[in-house]
Amino acid sequence: MRVGLLGTGRIGLFHASTLAHHPAVTELLLADADPARAQDAAARLTGGAARTGAAEVTALATVEAVLAARPDAVVVATATDAHADLIVRTSRAGLPTYCEKPIAADLAGTIRALREVDRNGTALQMGFQRRFDAGYTAARAAYRSGELGFVHTLRTVTADPAPPPAGYLPTSGGLYRDCLVHDFDAVRWVTGREILQVYATGSNRGEPFFSDAGDVDTAAALLTLDDGTLVSCTGTRYNGAGYDVRMEVSGSLGQITAGLDGRTPLTSAEPAGPAAPEQPWPDFLSRFHDAYLAELDVFLDVARGRRPSPCTGHDALEALLAAEACELSRALGSPVAVDSVRSAAALRALPAQEAAR
Ligand SMILES: NC(=O)c1ccc[n+]([C@@H]2O[C@H](COP(=O)([O-])OP(=O)(O)OC[C@H]3O[C@@H](n4cnc5c(N)ncnc54)[C@H](O)[C@@H]3O)[C@@H](O)[C@H]2O)c1
């Protein structure tokens, strides 16, 4: 297969390496808004004796050049603000597309891009990699097998060891849209239920650049699912113990935890408790290494028409709606129904004439 990859930053470089080493990929075409970055990525993947990839890797000067080369599939790993436009362009070109979350930082942009994808009937897979993590997959299977009895509570944690640079924040969408959105997607995926209502709050006890950007460095949200299940979600940019991503699923007959292993950055206060990890997970690229590989492996099957997208644009929209509801709840200091955000967003996404009717 010939695959185009747009955006060769942190996650883009990782995905480029995955694709370059995938047996189904014969040619990988890279582009970045900063052409030097794409060239550097191509050099790293093909450089001299270090060449290990199966694919020919070429850096092209522009995104347009990659799309004009008519690849079989496109992976979008650019900064968030370019996603929606690129999804529209690849969809109009009929190209199966994998895109890092989110589709857009706002709901109107998300809905407009989704309409284009729906109109053209093109395949779109969104990058919620927890759906490919072994622990989350096992938690989902346990939930669905009935072995947990009736599940009444989920508890999710998404904790980064250290904050991103200040410059990342203004375009990140904030802690709910950037980080907890993964938990919202995982909650929907594990349970198969929808998020009805959220009640969210946040705090900023770290660097003031969070509040300067209208963001928080630590957040908590209480979700109510459509079957009454309660979910508590917490997230922070300041977890000095390490990178901690977990989901506890508790039912009347048992409970199971995704993300609890010998590297989970937890220290027991009990004298006979488990030892603290010697090598706690340091970051998302190591913690979700296998999941990132698996999601692109599946995407190449999606692109070849062998299976439907395992994480559609509409899944991404649902997770973003929950994040938007959290931002609103934090501002209002009261619970927010996700449907109220959905209705307002649908209206805003309509072209002016249509909305006026
Ligand atoms: N699923 C995950 O776990 C995960 C993890 C990290 C990042 N992400 C997402 O991946 C995306 C990229 O994040 P990152 O951390 O790699 O960022 P980054 O800043 O390291 O890289 C982004 C790259 O995109 C390039 N770029 C920006 N606009 C472009 C355009 N219009 N055309 C081509 N290239 C363009 C930039 O020059 C840069 O090289 C973000 O949307 C982020 O939300 C997802």
Side-chain angles (χ1 to χ4, degrees), residues 5-10 12-13 29-44 58-64 66 77-79 81-82 86:
L5 183 139
L6 311 176
T8 52
R10 270 187 320 172
L13 189 57
L29 303 170
L30 308 178
D32 192 286
D34 176 356
R37 283 199 182 188
Q39 278 161 12
D40 182 54
R44 284 203 212 184
T58 312
L60 300 186
T62 59
V63 164
E64 289 67 33
V66 170
T78 63
D81 57 1
L86 290 172

Side-chain angles (χ1 to χ4, degrees), residues 38 55 93 104 106 123 136 164 172-173 196 205 310-311 337 351:
D106 67 316
Y136 280 84
S172 72
L196 276 193
R205 301 186 59 205
C311 187

